[in-house]
Amino acid sequence: VPIHSIMSAPTQRTSIQLYRDLLRLLTHIAPGTSPKSIALRTTVRAEFEKSRNEEDPAKIEALKANAVRALSNYMLYQGGVQDKMKGGKLGAAMDNYHERSVQGMQRSGNDSDEKNGAAR
């Protein structure tokens, strides 16, 4: 199943179809029985198992969309890692974004510490 067909309309696929598609895609991302492969399959299984008895159609659609989004984010991340090793712009842009995010979190953490210290 092509990734674009899964990602373009996750809500048109049944939950079991999406689950099987994700497991098939994982064999391309991490083939065999490597620790990475086992961890990814375990994560996918656990996430689907948590919602096995969900009956609310809106929640099911949101869960399916989240599953596709998580996999696409992982694939984007891996693409950035591969690109970075080749000296490409995507990996560098991802590093730059990450660095700015960490700095922003550190600044907001310091602001919170100062406010909490002043409140005491």
Side-chain angles (χ1 to χ4, degrees), residues 41-95:
R41 276 188 274 127
T42 301
T43 300
V44 168
R45 279 192 191 109
E47 289 301 312
F48 273 82
E49 190 62 37
K50 280 193 319 191
S51 304
R52 173 179 280 234
N53 297 316
E54 184 60 60
E55 294 181 9
D56 180 5
K59 287 183 181 178
I60 291 170
E61 294 307 312
L63 290 165
K64 287 165 49 176
N66 287 343
V68 171
R69 190 177 310 109
L71 185 60
S72 65
N73 286 344
Y74 179 81
M75 292 172 68
L76 176 64
Y77 171 77
Q78 283 300 108
V81 169
Q82 295 295 323
D83 187 64
K84 182 179 174 183
M85 291 190 301
K86 297 176 185 175
K89 293 180 182 178
L90 177 60
M94 288 174 63
D95 283 346

Side-chain angles (χ1 to χ4, degrees), residues 2-49:
I3 186 73
H4 61 80
S5 68
I6 295 169
M7 295 173 71
S8 63
T11 58
Q12 294 178 357
R13 302 190 66 73
T14 66
S15 297
I16 193 70
Q17 287 173 325
L18 181 59
Y19 175 74
R20 289 177 180 160
D21 290 343
L22 289 172
L23 289 179
R24 277 189 215 105
L25 287 170
L26 290 177
T27 63
H28 296 288
I29 294 170
T33 57
S34 68
K36 179 179 178 179
S37 173
I38 293 167
L40 288 170
R41 276 188 274 127
T42 301
T43 300
V44 168
R45 279 192 191 109
E47 289 301 312
F48 273 82
E49 190 62 37

